[in-house]
């Protein structure tokens, strides 16, 4: 890290440890390139993997310290510090790619001791790769960085797919919400129709009861009228029959007058 950057002792200490690990990784891979025994190469790879784990943890510790110092630094300094962090991550990723390359040269043995989340498969690392013994350290680093660039592109494509999936999910949610609201309205309308049918049924029953009552009343009135008519006819035919009582409201004189009119008519 540039000495003219104002950093706190914690950041400076973490950065120093990271730089020491990078130098050890560079020397370790150069030494690994000269080892011919596969067993010794595997052991050396395990040691280098342990250093990469340690470096990864230090970078994780570097990030919160950097954020804690951002409020006290000018924007330009924060930009340089963030660029420094990204550079450390890329450099570590290049060593991860180197580890995969050496693993492929050791007979494609899978020793998943370290995972940086780069998303690059062993098959990609093994494809179109020179033998480590034929490549310089810089060529190996360049190859690792190339693989990391391809991984970044794959991540961007994955982000696009995720974004499209989220958009489809939002549209589906809106459609389901609309359909749910429509179903709610249909249920309310069905409840209203059911209530109306119930009220109509009650009204029909009430009208039926009223009609039945009116029919009974009319039937009784009809019987009364028939009885009155029968009594009048009998009184006219037998005016002197004392056993037949006069109809209330109908005077005997009127009955005699009706009889006289009937006799005269004959």
């Amino acid at each position: 890290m540039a000495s003219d950057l104002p950093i706190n002792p914690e950041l400076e200490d973490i950065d120093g440890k990271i730089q020491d690990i990078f130098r050890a990784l560079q020397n370790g891979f150069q030494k690994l390139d000269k080892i011919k025994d596969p067993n010794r190469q595997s052991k050396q790879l395990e040691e280098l993997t342990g250093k990469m784990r340690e470096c990864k943890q230090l970078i994780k510790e570097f990030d919160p310290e950097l954020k804690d110092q951002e409020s006290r630094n000018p924007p330009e300094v924060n930009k340089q510090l963030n660029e420094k962090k990204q550079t450390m991550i890329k450099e570590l990723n290049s060593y991860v790619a180197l580890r995969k390359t050496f693993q492929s040269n050791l007979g494609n043995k899978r020793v998943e001791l370290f995972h940086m989340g780069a998303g690059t498969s062993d098959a990609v690392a093994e494809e179109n790769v020179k033998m480590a013994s034929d490549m310089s350290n810089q060529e190996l680093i360049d190859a690792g960085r190339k693989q990391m660039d391809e991984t970044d592109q794959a991540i961007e494509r994955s982000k696009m797919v995720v974004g499209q999936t989220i958009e489809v999910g939002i549209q589906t949610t809106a459609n389901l919400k609309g359909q749910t609201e429509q179903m709610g309205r249909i249920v309310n309308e069905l409840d209203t129709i059911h209530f109306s049918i119930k009220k109509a049924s009650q009204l029909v029953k009430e009208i039926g009861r009223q009609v039945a009552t009116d029919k009974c009343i009319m039937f009784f009135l009809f019987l009364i009228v028939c009885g009155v008519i029968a009594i009048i006819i009998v009184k006219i035919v037998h005016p002197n029959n004392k056993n037949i009582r006069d109809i209330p409201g109908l005077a005997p004189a009127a009955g005699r007058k009706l009889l006289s009119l009937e006799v005269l008519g004959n």
Side-chain angles (χ1 to χ4, degrees), residues 169-213:
I170 293 173
Q171 293 177 355
T172 303
T173 302
N175 293 334
L176 289 175
K177 183 178 179 181
Q179 292 176 359
T180 302
E181 293 176 352
Q182 185 177 4
M183 289 299 297
R185 290 193 296 269
I186 292 174
V187 171
N188 292 335
E189 291 175 358
L190 289 176
D191 291 339
T192 303
I193 292 172
H194 177 72
F195 179 76
S196 300
I197 292 174
K198 186 176 180 181
K199 293 292 291 184
S201 177
Q202 293 176 352
L203 182 61
V204 168
K205 290 181 180 179
E206 185 67 24
I207 293 174
R209 285 195 295 268
Q210 292 179 359
V211 169
T213 302

Side-chain angles (χ1 to χ4, degrees), residues 7-56:
I7 61 173
N8 58 28
E10 290 81 3
L11 275 179
E12 188 174 4
D13 179 63
I14 293 173
D15 178 62
K17 292 179 180 179
I18 292 173
Q19 298 305 321
D20 290 340
I21 291 175
F22 283 155
R23 283 190 291 269
L25 288 173
Q26 183 177 5
N27 294 331
F29 277 109
Q30 289 176 350
K31 180 180 177 181
L32 182 64
D33 193 29
K34 299 177 182 179
I35 297 175
K36 303 302 180 182
D37 183 20
N39 293 329
R40 291 180 58 194
Q41 284 185 340
S42 297
K43 184 176 180 181
Q44 180 72 6
L45 272 178
E46 291 179 4
E47 293 178 359
L48 294 175
T49 300
K51 291 186 179 296
M52 284 186 279
R53 284 201 193 99
E54 183 181 355
C55 184
K56 178 182 176 182

Side-chain angles (χ1 to χ4, degrees), residues 4 30 42 57 73 80 115 143 158 262:
D4 57 341
Q30 289 176 350
S42 297
Q57 183 61 37
N73 290 335
Q80 294 179 18
H115 178 66
S158 300
E262 182 67 24

Side-chain angles (χ1 to χ4, degrees), residues 231-239 255 258-259 262:
I231 293 173
I232 292 174
I233 293 173
V234 171
K235 290 293 289 184
I236 292 173
V237 175
H238 303 285
L258 290 172
L259 182 59
E262 182 67 24

Side-chain angles (χ1 to χ4, degrees), residues 17-263:
K17 292 179 180 179
I18 292 173
Q19 298 305 321
D20 290 340
I21 291 175
F22 283 155
R23 283 190 291 269
L25 288 173
Q26 183 177 5
N27 294 331
F29 277 109
Q30 289 176 350
K31 180 180 177 181
L32 182 64
D33 193 29
K34 299 177 182 179
I35 297 175
K36 303 302 180 182
D37 183 20
N39 293 329
R40 291 180 58 194
Q41 284 185 340
S42 297
K43 184 176 180 181
Q44 180 72 6
L45 272 178
E46 291 179 4
E47 293 178 359
L48 294 175
T49 300
K51 291 186 179 296
M52 284 186 279
R53 284 201 193 99
E54 183 181 355
C55 184
K56 178 182 176 182
Q57 183 61 37
L58 288 172
I59 292 176
K60 286 184 177 180
E61 295 175 3
F62 184 88
D63 189 59
E65 290 290 342
L66 178 61
K67 291 181 179 178
D68 181 65
Q69 193 177 352
E70 282 182 350
S71 60
R72 299 188 294 273
N73 290 335
E76 183 62 28
V77 173
N78 289 329
K79 180 180 178 181
Q80 294 179 18
L81 291 174
N82 280 292
E83 289 176 352
K84 177 64 177 178
K85 183 186 72 173
Q86 295 300 323
T87 301
M88 290 189 296
I89 293 174
K90 288 184 178 180
E91 188 170 355
L92 179 58
N93 286 335
S94 67
Y95 285 117
V96 173
L98 276 176
R99 180 186 65 87
K100 290 186 177 182
T101 301
F102 275 102
Q103 280 182 323
S104 67
N105 293 331
L106 288 173
N108 299 324
K109 294 180 180 179
R110 293 178 174 270
V111 186
E112 295 300 332
L113 302 175
F114 187 75
H115 178 66
M116 288 296 297
T120 303
S121 64
D122 289 338
V124 175
E126 295 163 6
E127 185 176 339
N128 296 326
V129 177
K130 293 181 180 179
M131 292 294 295
S133 59
D134 297 333
M135 298 174 64
S136 66
N137 189 60
Q138 185 61 40
E139 287 176 334
L140 291 172
I141 293 176
D142 292 340
R145 287 176 178 173
K146 181 180 179 181
Q147 291 180 2
M148 292 309 304
D149 291 338
E150 293 174 354
T151 301
D152 292 339
Q153 293 175 4
I155 291 173
E156 291 299 324
R157 290 194 295 270
S158 300
K159 287 181 179 179
M160 291 178 61
V161 173
V162 171
Q164 293 173 356
T165 304
I166 292 174
E167 184 177 356
V168 171
I170 293 173
Q171 293 177 355
T172 303
T173 302
N175 293 334
L176 289 175
K177 183 178 179 181
Q179 292 176 359
T180 302
E181 293 176 352
Q182 185 177 4
M183 289 299 297
R185 290 193 296 269
I186 292 174
V187 171
N188 292 335
E189 291 175 358
L190 289 176
D191 291 339
T192 303
I193 292 172
H194 177 72
F195 179 76
S196 300
I197 292 174
K198 186 176 180 181
K199 293 292 291 184
S201 177
Q202 293 176 352
L203 182 61
V204 168
K205 290 181 180 179
E206 185 67 24
I207 293 174
R209 285 195 295 268
Q210 292 179 359
V211 169
T213 302
D214 293 343
K215 285 183 178 180
C216 291
I217 294 174
M218 293 298 294
F219 178 72
F220 283 120
L221 289 176
F222 176 74
L223 290 178
I224 292 171
V225 169
C226 290
V228 171
I229 293 173
I231 293 173
I232 292 174
I233 293 173
V234 171
K235 290 293 289 184
I236 292 173
V237 175
H238 303 285
N240 296 323
N241 190 346
K242 300 299 184 180
N243 294 325
I244 300 174
R245 299 178 61 183
D246 293 332
I247 298 172
L250 183 62
R256 286 194 295 274
K257 184 175 181 180
L258 290 172
L259 182 59
S260 299
L261 291 173
E262 182 67 24
V263 173

